[in-house]
Amino acid sequence: MAAATSMMPVFGHQISPKNDLVPDWTRQEVSTGTTIMAVEYDGGVVIGADSRTTTGAYIANRVTDKLTPIHDRIFCCRSGSAADTQAIADVVTYQLGFHSIELDEPPLVETAANLFKASCYRYREELMAGILVAGWDRRKAGQVYCVPIGGMLVRQPVAVGGSGSSYIYGFMDSNYKPGMSKEQCLELTSAALTLAMERDGSSGGVVRLASISEDGVERRVILGNQLTKFSTH
Amino acid sequence: MATLTVSRLPVGGFSFENCKRNAVLEGEGNKLGWSMPAARKTGTTICGIVYKDGVILGADTRATEGMVVADKNCSKIHFISSNIYCCGAGTAADTEMTTQIISSNLELHSLSTGRVPRVATANRMLKQMLFRYQGYIGAALVLGGVDCNGPHLYSIYPHGSTDKLPYVTMGSGSLAAMAVFEDRYKPDMEEEDAKRLVRDAIAAGIFNDLGSGSNIDLCVITKGNVDYIRPHDEANKKGVRLAELEALTPTGDYKYKRGTTAVLTKAVTPLDLELLEESVQTMDTS
C-alpha cells in the first residue's frame, strides 16, 4: 500500500453548519473592509481611515480605530482581516520597540515598513493584510510605505488601500499635487474617505485622521453628520 | 511490499488527524440514516457595558445541541480573576477551557508580578491564543473587569481580533441585544439603570432569538467588589403541570408513584458471603 504520506486532509469548509439557530455571520471572520489613505507632505504625513469592521453583513464595530501606533512617530493603517492585522501590528510594535532600545534612537519608518513586509511576505499564504506604514523620522522626514496583500513594499507619496480604495483612485490622481501643505492634505484625505465611504458598503462610520510630524501626532475625528456633503442626491 | 514509514515529530498547533475520519464516518452515517452529534454550542446572547462605577456583564443561560436545549441553566459568565470576568459564546467546550486556561495563566502571572491582574493582560493572552488556533477554537468572548486603570470592556472574536468599546454584544442574539443598547446606552449610567439596560438587552436576545433562552445572569464588577447575580431574572419560568398543582408537589418532579408499574413476578435470592479477612488501615494525618 502507499506509504504513510500524511497529507493534510482538505479541511476546506467550516465545521458543518448543522446548527440553524446560530446564524451565518457568527462564523464569519471579522474583516476591516475598509478605506485607508496616507499622504506625504513637507514635514510629515497625514493618515486617515474609516471606522467600520464587519463580520459578513453585520457591523461588529462602527467606531474602530484603524490607525494603530507602532512607535512615537510611526503609525500603520490596517485593512483586511482584523485578527491578522492586529496580530501583525502587535508583533511589529514589539520588534520595533526592541530595535529602538538597542539603537538608543527613534526608529526609521523604513525599518518599520520592512518589519511589516517581513511578516506579510513570509506568511503570505496564511494572512490577509493590506497595510500602509506612515510616519516621520529625522533622516527622510515624512514617508508613506505601502505593504499590500502578498507582501510587496514600495514607497509612495500618496497611497490608498482597502476595499473602498477602488472608488477613489480617480479622485486621488486628479486632486493630489506634490508640495501640498498639511491643511490641504487633511482636506484631501477627508474628502477622499468621505467619497469612498459613500460608495463602499464595507466602509463607513466616522473619519479618523492623524497628522504626524517632528512635533508629534495630532489626532482628530470627523463624525458622520460633520462630513462634507457631496451632492449627487 | 514493505512500507517505509517515517515517524514525524509532533507538530505544534491544531491536529487535523481525525478530520478525514470524521468526514468518512459522516458519509457512512448519512447512508445509514443517522447524523453526527453536533457540538454543543451556546447559541447565545451575551453583552457587557461600562457604567459609572465599573462594568456589568450579562448572559442568557441556554446551551443547545443542534435544535435541542442541552442545558436550561448553564453558566456563561466565567471567572478569570477576582476583578475580571468573561462571558463566552460559541462552542461551549471551547469557551470553558479557554477561559480556564487564561484564568490559570493570569493567576501565575499575577503572583509573578505581585500585582492585581489587568484586563488588558487577559485580553492579550486570549487574543494571542485564539489567533494561534486561526479561528478553529470557536470562542467569542466578552471580557470585562476593573483594574488600576479603571473599568475596561473588550469583545474578542474566534479569529483573535479584539475591540475595546463601552458596550458590546456577542452571540446569535447579539443583534437583538445591540438594538437595545444602541437605543438606550448613555455614558456614566447609574448602577440600577445599567443593570436594567443589560437585563433588557439579554431579554431581547432571549425572546427574539431561538438560540438563546431561559434565565438572565448578571455580573456587576466594581472596584473591590463583584456581584455575581445568578439568576438575576428568571425570564422563562417552567410552567406548573395540572396534576402537580392538585397534588401541591413542587414542579420538576419526575418521580412516578409506587404502583404505577405493575409488578408481575418477584424472586429473592440470598447471596451467601463469608467474611475472609478484615483489616483496618489508619489514615496518616501527620
Side-chain angles (χ1 to χ4, degrees), chain A residues 163-181:
Chain A
S163 57
S165 65
S166 348
Y167 304 100
I168 50 172
Y169 277 109
F171 177 80
M172 207 186 70
D173 288 336
S174 55
N175 288 74
Y176 171 74
K177 286 160 190 45
M180 285 166 60
S181 73

Side-chain angles (χ1 to χ4, degrees), chain A residues 1-4 6 8-9 11 14 16 18-23 25-30 53 55 58 60-64 82-84 86-87 90 126-127, chain B residues 3-5 8 16 19-20 26 35-36 41 43 64 66-67 124 127 131 134 136 157 159-163 165 167 169 171-172 174-175 178 182 209-211:
Chain A
M1 280 288 140
S6 29
M8 286 289 232
F11 203 73
Q14 305 282 54
S16 46
K18 291 215 124 149
N19 199 343
D20 300 317
L21 292 175
V22 181
W25 54 259
T26 56
R27 265 168 274 121
Q28 295 266 24
E29 187 172 340
V30 177
T53 323
T55 26
Y58 179 64
N61 187 353
R62 60 182 170 84
V63 287
T64 327
D84 291 349
Q86 282 181 14
D90 286 345
E126 287 82 22
L127 295 171
Chain B
T3 50
L4 197 70
T5 51
R8 253 195 1 185
F16 288 96
C19 296
K20 205 167 180 183
E26 196 175 353
S35 52
M36 293 275 279
K41 294 185 90 86
T64 53
M67 292 298 263
R124 266 289 159 119
K127 73 153 37 177
F131 183 75
Q134 286 290 289
Y136 285 102
Y157 291 83
H159 284 264
S161 61
T162 64
D163 289 307
L165 291 163
Y167 55 95
T169 65
S172 55
S174 66
L175 262 59
M178 185 51 91
E182 289 285 23
D209 173 45
L210 296 178

Side-chain angles (χ1 to χ4, degrees), chain A residues 118-163:
Chain A
S119 292
C120 291
Y121 183 70
R122 177 176 289 247
Y123 298 105
R124 56 182 302 169
E125 305 299 330
E126 287 82 22
L127 295 171
M128 188 162 81
I131 296 174
L132 298 179
V133 187
W136 181 93
D137 63 37
R138 242 166 46 113
R139 233 183 256 186
K140 295 186 189 168
Q143 296 145 75
V144 169
Y145 294 89
C146 190
V147 183
I149 295 175
M152 175 184 87
L153 171 64
V154 70
R155 181 180 172 186
Q156 292 178 298
V158 196
V160 291
S163 57

Side-chain angles (χ1 to χ4, degrees), chain B residues 37 134-135 151 154 161 179 219 238-239 270:
Chain B
Q134 286 290 289
Y154 293 88
S161 61
C219 186
K238 191 174 172 156

